[in-house]
Amino acid sequence: MCSPTLSLLTIASLILVTPFVSQAADAPGFAREPNLVEYDVDPTWPQKPDDISDKGWVSGLAIDKDDNVWFFRKGPDPVQCYAADGTFVRSWGKGMFDSPHQMRIDHEGNIWLADFGQHVIEKYTPEGKRLMTLGTRGESGDDKTHFFRPTDMAIT
């Protein structure tokens, strides 16, 4: 037989939980209307010059203030920039990176790149001039001057 205290606790629990259960039933765990996204692939975008390789998958992508689309690729032409209409703007970085991983663009238009194979985050001008290196190129570590395989960065 149940004790009166246990019965009172059970009833109190039901009274407290019942409003939350009914609210949960009103809010499904999925969208009431499906969110459909439709798009068409444009096989002519981007208009890559013949001397620019499309080898290597895109590991980083960013859009600058002028709506240029930047790729950071794991291939022979790692940094590529295209206008919004797909027109080629520039490419740079041949032989400069080991394992390209992520790309960001700061409010001044500088390009920040994470190379986890070189253990660095680097800042470049849009034309490819290196401005800063965080970490020590080719040396992994976990101290004030080394990173271990960085994969991204945050810019404030």
Side-chain angles (χ1 to χ4, degrees):
M1 195 158 199
C2 274
S3 71
T5 306
L6 185 58
S7 295
L8 285 174
L9 285 174
T10 302
I11 292 169
S13 296
L14 287 173
I15 291 170
L16 292 173
V17 170
T18 301
F20 296 109
V21 171
S22 68
Q23 286 176 359
D26 294 339
F30 56 88
R32 290 184 190 270
E33 294 180 27
N35 184 11
L36 299 177
V37 177
E38 294 183 27
Y39 61 90
D40 293 317
V41 174
D42 182 353
T44 66
W45 198 103
Q47 292 111 41
K48 181 187 64 58
D50 291 337
D51 63 331
I52 299 296
S53 174
D54 60 358
K55 291 183 180 177
W57 54 282
V58 175
S59 57
L61 183 138
I63 299 172
D64 67 19
K65 63 180 175 50
D66 297 322
D67 287 334
N68 291 318
V69 180
W70 290 79
F71 299 142
F72 196 26
R73 298 185 78 115
K74 295 179 183 285
D77 295 300
V79 180
Q80 297 178 21
C81 178
Y82 297 89
D85 67 0
T87 306
F88 177 77
V89 176
R90 74 175 56 94
S91 179
W92 49 267
K94 281 184 187 285
M96 294 172 55
F97 305 101
D98 181 73
S99 298
H101 198 74
Q102 188 56 277
M103 164 185 278
R104 304 285 178 197
I105 300 176
D106 68 21
H107 65 283
E108 295 174 342
N110 296 305
I111 310 300
W112 291 78
L113 303 170
D115 184 339
F116 70 85
Q118 289 291 337
H119 307 286
V120 292
I121 304 283
E122 293 180 316
K123 176 182 175 181
Y124 291 87
T125 65
E127 295 74 29
K129 178 183 175 193
R130 187 180 310 145
L131 301 173
M132 179 189 304
T133 299
L134 301 174
T136 303
R137 266 187 162 272
E139 294 181 21
S140 67
D142 185 14
D143 58 37
K144 291 181 181 181
T145 60
H146 294 89
F147 288 124
F148 179 72
R149 300 174 67 84
T151 58
D152 205 347
M153 77 281 321
I155 301 168
T156 60

PDB file of all heavy atoms in Angstrom, residues 135-155:
ATOM      1  N   GLY A 135      51.487  31.812 -35.306  1.00  0.00           N
ATOM      2  CA  GLY A 135      52.036  30.474 -35.224  1.00  0.00           C
ATOM      3  C   GLY A 135      53.409  30.476 -35.876  1.00  0.00           C
ATOM      4  O   GLY A 135      53.881  31.507 -36.363  1.00  0.00           O
ATOM      5  N   THR A 136      54.056  29.338 -35.879  1.00  0.00           N
ATOM      6  CA  THR A 136      55.371  29.202 -36.493  1.00  0.00           C
ATOM      7  C   THR A 136      55.244  28.216 -37.647  1.00  0.00           C
ATOM      8  O   THR A 136      54.878  27.058 -37.424  1.00  0.00           O
ATOM      9  CB  THR A 136      56.407  28.704 -35.462  1.00  0.00           C
ATOM     10  OG1 THR A 136      56.424  29.616 -34.355  1.00  0.00           O
ATOM     11  CG2 THR A 136      57.795  28.628 -36.078  1.00  0.00           C
ATOM     12  N   ARG A 137      55.510  28.703 -38.869  1.00  0.00           N
ATOM     13  CA  ARG A 137      55.349  27.862 -40.069  1.00  0.00           C
ATOM     14  C   ARG A 137      56.105  26.549 -39.938  1.00  0.00           C
ATOM     15  O   ARG A 137      57.296  26.536 -39.665  1.00  0.00           O
ATOM     16  CB  ARG A 137      55.855  28.596 -41.305  1.00  0.00           C
ATOM     17  CG  ARG A 137      54.787  29.327 -42.032  1.00  0.00           C
ATOM     18  CD  ARG A 137      55.330  29.905 -43.347  1.00  0.00           C
ATOM     19  NE  ARG A 137      54.207  30.213 -44.190  1.00  0.00           N
ATOM     20  CZ  ARG A 137      53.634  29.360 -45.024  1.00  0.00           C
ATOM     21  NH1 ARG A 137      54.096  28.157 -45.161  1.00  0.00           N
ATOM     22  NH2 ARG A 137      52.597  29.718 -45.735  1.00  0.00           N
ATOM     23  N   GLY A 138      55.371  25.458 -40.143  1.00  0.00           N
ATOM     24  CA  GLY A 138      55.983  24.139 -40.159  1.00  0.00           C
ATOM     25  C   GLY A 138      56.301  23.538 -38.803  1.00  0.00           C
ATOM     26  O   GLY A 138      56.828  22.439 -38.726  1.00  0.00           O
ATOM     27  N   GLU A 139      55.972  24.249 -37.724  1.00  0.00           N
ATOM     28  CA  GLU A 139      56.247  23.745 -36.370  1.00  0.00           C
ATOM     29  C   GLU A 139      54.960  23.704 -35.561  1.00  0.00           C
ATOM     30  O   GLU A 139      54.345  24.735 -35.317  1.00  0.00           O
ATOM     31  CB  GLU A 139      57.251  24.637 -35.646  1.00  0.00           C
ATOM     32  CG  GLU A 139      58.637  24.639 -36.235  1.00  0.00           C
ATOM     33  CD  GLU A 139      59.596  25.519 -35.450  1.00  0.00           C
ATOM     34  OE1 GLU A 139      59.336  25.813 -34.261  1.00  0.00           O
ATOM     35  OE2 GLU A 139      60.611  25.931 -36.040  1.00  0.00           O
ATOM     36  N   SER A 140      54.573  22.516 -35.127  1.00  0.00           N
ATOM     37  CA  SER A 140      53.375  22.403 -34.299  1.00  0.00           C
ATOM     38  C   SER A 140      53.733  22.625 -32.842  1.00  0.00           C
ATOM     39  O   SER A 140      54.891  22.491 -32.440  1.00  0.00           O
ATOM     40  CB  SER A 140      52.729  21.034 -34.470  1.00  0.00           C
ATOM     41  OG  SER A 140      53.566  20.027 -33.946  1.00  0.00           O
ATOM     42  N   GLY A 141      52.759  22.983 -32.060  1.00  0.00           N
ATOM     43  CA  GLY A 141      52.977  23.184 -30.636  1.00  0.00           C
ATOM     44  C   GLY A 141      51.736  23.710 -29.969  1.00  0.00           C
ATOM     45  O   GLY A 141      50.684  23.858 -30.589  1.00  0.00           O
ATOM     46  N   ASP A 142      51.885  24.037 -28.700  1.00  0.00           N
ATOM     47  CA  ASP A 142      50.766  24.528 -27.901  1.00  0.00           C
ATOM     48  C   ASP A 142      51.307  25.555 -26.904  1.00  0.00           C
ATOM     49  O   ASP A 142      51.357  25.309 -25.709  1.00  0.00           O
ATOM     50  CB  ASP A 142      50.095  23.352 -27.182  1.00  0.00           C
ATOM     51  CG  ASP A 142      48.841  23.765 -26.436  1.00  0.00           C
ATOM     52  OD1 ASP A 142      48.335  24.879 -26.685  1.00  0.00           O
ATOM     53  OD2 ASP A 142      48.372  22.981 -25.592  1.00  0.00           O
ATOM     54  N   ASP A 143      51.762  26.675 -27.436  1.00  0.00           N
ATOM     55  CA  ASP A 143      52.263  27.748 -26.579  1.00  0.00           C
ATOM     56  C   ASP A 143      51.993  29.091 -27.266  1.00  0.00           C
ATOM     57  O   ASP A 143      51.248  29.140 -28.240  1.00  0.00           O
ATOM     58  CB  ASP A 143      53.752  27.546 -26.255  1.00  0.00           C
ATOM     59  CG  ASP A 143      54.626  27.470 -27.497  1.00  0.00           C
ATOM     60  OD1 ASP A 143      54.354  28.199 -28.473  1.00  0.00           O
ATOM     61  OD2 ASP A 143      55.587  26.671 -27.499  1.00  0.00           O
ATOM     62  N   LYS A 144      52.611  30.170 -26.807  1.00  0.00           N
ATOM     63  CA  LYS A 144      52.329  31.505 -27.337  1.00  0.00           C
ATOM     64  C   LYS A 144      52.746  31.698 -28.792  1.00  0.00           C
ATOM     65  O   LYS A 144      52.259  32.603 -29.452  1.00  0.00           O
ATOM     66  CB  LYS A 144      53.020  32.564 -26.477  1.00  0.00           C
ATOM     67  CG  LYS A 144      52.421  32.703 -25.105  1.00  0.00           C
ATOM     68  CD  LYS A 144      53.121  33.783 -24.317  1.00  0.00           C
ATOM     69  CE  LYS A 144      52.523  33.895 -22.934  1.00  0.00           C
ATOM     70  NZ  LYS A 144      53.163  34.949 -22.149  1.00  0.00           N
ATOM     71  N   THR A 145      53.646  30.867 -29.304  1.00  0.00           N
ATOM     72  CA  THR A 145      54.130  31.058 -30.671  1.00  0.00           C
ATOM     73  C   THR A 145      53.827  29.884 -31.604  1.00  0.00           C
ATOM     74  O   THR A 145      54.322  29.873 -32.723  1.00  0.00           O
ATOM     75  CB  THR A 145      55.658  31.327 -30.666  1.00  0.00           C
ATOM     76  OG1 THR A 145      56.320  30.199 -30.083  1.00  0.00           O
ATOM     77  CG2 THR A 145      55.989  32.588 -29.892  1.00  0.00           C
ATOM     78  N   HIS A 146      53.037  28.909 -31.146  1.00  0.00           N
ATOM     79  CA  HIS A 146      52.746  27.732 -31.967  1.00  0.00           C
ATOM     80  C   HIS A 146      51.270  27.357 -31.903  1.00  0.00           C
ATOM     81  O   HIS A 146      50.619  27.552 -30.875  1.00  0.00           O
ATOM     82  CB  HIS A 146      53.566  26.522 -31.488  1.00  0.00           C
ATOM     83  CG  HIS A 146      55.023  26.678 -31.686  1.00  0.00           C
ATOM     84  ND1 HIS A 146      55.832  27.258 -30.751  1.00  0.00           N
ATOM     85  CD2 HIS A 146      55.819  26.327 -32.718  1.00  0.00           C
ATOM     86  CE1 HIS A 146      57.084  27.262 -31.197  1.00  0.00           C
ATOM     87  NE2 HIS A 146      57.108  26.697 -32.389  1.00  0.00           N
ATOM     88  N   PHE A 147      50.798  26.812 -33.018  1.00  0.00           N
ATOM     89  CA  PHE A 147      49.480  26.197 -33.080  1.00  0.00           C
ATOM     90  C   PHE A 147      49.651  24.720 -33.412  1.00  0.00           C
ATOM     91  O   PHE A 147      50.685  24.315 -33.938  1.00  0.00           O
ATOM     92  CB  PHE A 147      48.613  26.817 -34.184  1.00  0.00           C
ATOM     93  CG  PHE A 147      48.129  28.204 -33.909  1.00  0.00           C
ATOM     94  CD1 PHE A 147      48.397  29.225 -34.809  1.00  0.00           C
ATOM     95  CD2 PHE A 147      47.399  28.505 -32.786  1.00  0.00           C
ATOM     96  CE1 PHE A 147      47.937  30.504 -34.588  1.00  0.00           C
ATOM     97  CE2 PHE A 147      46.936  29.781 -32.549  1.00  0.00           C
ATOM     98  CZ  PHE A 147      47.207  30.791 -33.454  1.00  0.00           C
ATOM     99  N   PHE A 148      48.601  23.952 -33.142  1.00  0.00           N
ATOM    100  CA  PHE A 148      48.579  22.570 -33.581  1.00  0.00           C
ATOM    101  C   PHE A 148      47.398  22.392 -34.524  1.00  0.00           C
ATOM    102  O   PHE A 148      46.250  22.339 -34.106  1.00  0.00           O
ATOM    103  CB  PHE A 148      48.462  21.600 -32.394  1.00  0.00           C
ATOM    104  CG  PHE A 148      48.422  20.160 -32.823  1.00  0.00           C
ATOM    105  CD1 PHE A 148      49.554  19.532 -33.305  1.00  0.00           C
ATOM    106  CD2 PHE A 148      47.234  19.454 -32.815  1.00  0.00           C
ATOM    107  CE1 PHE A 148      49.522  18.207 -33.739  1.00  0.00           C
ATOM    108  CE2 PHE A 148      47.182  18.129 -33.241  1.00  0.00           C
ATOM    109  CZ  PHE A 148      48.344  17.509 -33.701  1.00  0.00           C
ATOM    110  N   ARG A 149      47.680  22.389 -35.806  1.00  0.00           N
ATOM    111  CA  ARG A 149      46.698  22.147 -36.857  1.00  0.00           C
ATOM    112  C   ARG A 149      45.450  23.065 -36.769  1.00  0.00           C
ATOM    113  O   ARG A 149      44.338  22.581 -36.673  1.00  0.00           O
ATOM    114  CB  ARG A 149      46.307  20.687 -36.896  1.00  0.00           C
ATOM    115  CG  ARG A 149      47.513  19.783 -37.161  1.00  0.00           C
ATOM    116  CD  ARG A 149      47.212  18.307 -37.072  1.00  0.00           C
ATOM    117  NE  ARG A 149      46.339  17.833 -38.101  1.00  0.00           N
ATOM    118  CZ  ARG A 149      46.707  17.470 -39.339  1.00  0.00           C
ATOM    119  NH1 ARG A 149      47.961  17.553 -39.683  1.00  0.00           N
ATOM    120  NH2 ARG A 149      45.831  17.037 -40.208  1.00  0.00           N
ATOM    121  N   PRO A 150      45.630  24.373 -36.806  1.00  0.00           N
ATOM    122  CA  PRO A 150      44.466  25.274 -36.737  1.00  0.00           C
ATOM    123  C   PRO A 150      43.573  25.108 -37.955  1.00  0.00           C
ATOM    124  O   PRO A 150      44.062  24.926 -39.079  1.00  0.00           O
ATOM    125  CB  PRO A 150      45.100  26.669 -36.699  1.00  0.00           C
ATOM    126  CG  PRO A 150      46.389  26.500 -37.422  1.00  0.00           C
ATOM    127  CD  PRO A 150      46.874  25.114 -37.078  1.00  0.00           C
ATOM    128  N   THR A 151      42.273  25.150 -37.737  1.00  0.00           N
ATOM    129  CA  THR A 151      41.327  24.932 -38.827  1.00  0.00           C
ATOM    130  C   THR A 151      40.408  26.128 -39.092  1.00  0.00           C
ATOM    131  O   THR A 151      39.674  26.132 -40.074  1.00  0.00           O
ATOM    132  CB  THR A 151      40.446  23.703 -38.545  1.00  0.00           C
ATOM    133  OG1 THR A 151      39.770  23.901 -37.313  1.00  0.00           O
ATOM    134  CG2 THR A 151      41.294  22.444 -38.500  1.00  0.00           C
ATOM    135  N   ASP A 152      40.442  27.142 -38.245  1.00  0.00           N
ATOM    136  CA  ASP A 152      39.563  28.295 -38.454  1.00  0.00           C
ATOM    137  C   ASP A 152      40.051  29.440 -37.590  1.00  0.00           C
ATOM    138  O   ASP A 152      40.953  29.276 -36.759  1.00  0.00           O
ATOM    139  CB  ASP A 152      38.117  27.936 -38.097  1.00  0.00           C
ATOM    140  CG  ASP A 152      37.097  28.815 -38.823  1.00  0.00           C
ATOM    141  OD1 ASP A 152      37.471  29.848 -39.402  1.00  0.00           O
ATOM    142  OD2 ASP A 152      35.903  28.455 -38.792  1.00  0.00           O
ATOM    143  N   MET A 153      39.457  30.599 -37.765  1.00  0.00           N
ATOM    144  CA  MET A 153      39.804  31.763 -36.959  1.00  0.00           C
ATOM    145  C   MET A 153      38.576  32.660 -36.846  1.00  0.00           C
ATOM    146  O   MET A 153      37.647  32.538 -37.635  1.00  0.00           O
ATOM    147  CB  MET A 153      40.999  32.521 -37.574  1.00  0.00           C
ATOM    148  CG  MET A 153      40.705  33.388 -38.772  1.00  0.00           C
ATOM    149  SD  MET A 153      40.511  32.673 -40.419  1.00  0.00           S
ATOM    150  CE  MET A 153      41.648  31.415 -40.620  1.00  0.00           C
ATOM    151  N   ALA A 154      38.593  33.528 -35.843  1.00  0.00           N
ATOM    152  CA  ALA A 154      37.531  34.526 -35.679  1.00  0.00           C
ATOM    153  C   ALA A 154      38.190  35.894 -35.778  1.00  0.00           C
ATOM    154  O   ALA A 154      39.277  36.104 -35.234  1.00  0.00           O
ATOM    155  CB  ALA A 154      36.836  34.369 -34.334  1.00  0.00           C
ATOM    156  N   ILE A 155      37.569  36.793 -36.476  1.00  0.00           N
ATOM    157  CA  ILE A 155      38.129  38.133 -36.675  1.00  0.00           C
ATOM    158  C   ILE A 155      37.192  39.137 -36.027  1.00  0.00           C
ATOM    159  O   ILE A 155      35.995  39.121 -36.284  1.00  0.00           O
ATOM    160  CB  ILE A 155      38.278  38.427 -38.176  1.00  0.00           C
ATOM    161  CG1 ILE A 155      39.182  37.388 -38.827  1.00  0.00           C
ATOM    162  CG2 ILE A 155      38.825  39.822 -38.396  1.00  0.00           C
ATOM    163  CD1 ILE A 155      39.170  37.413 -40.327  1.00  0.00           C
TER     164      ILE A 155
END
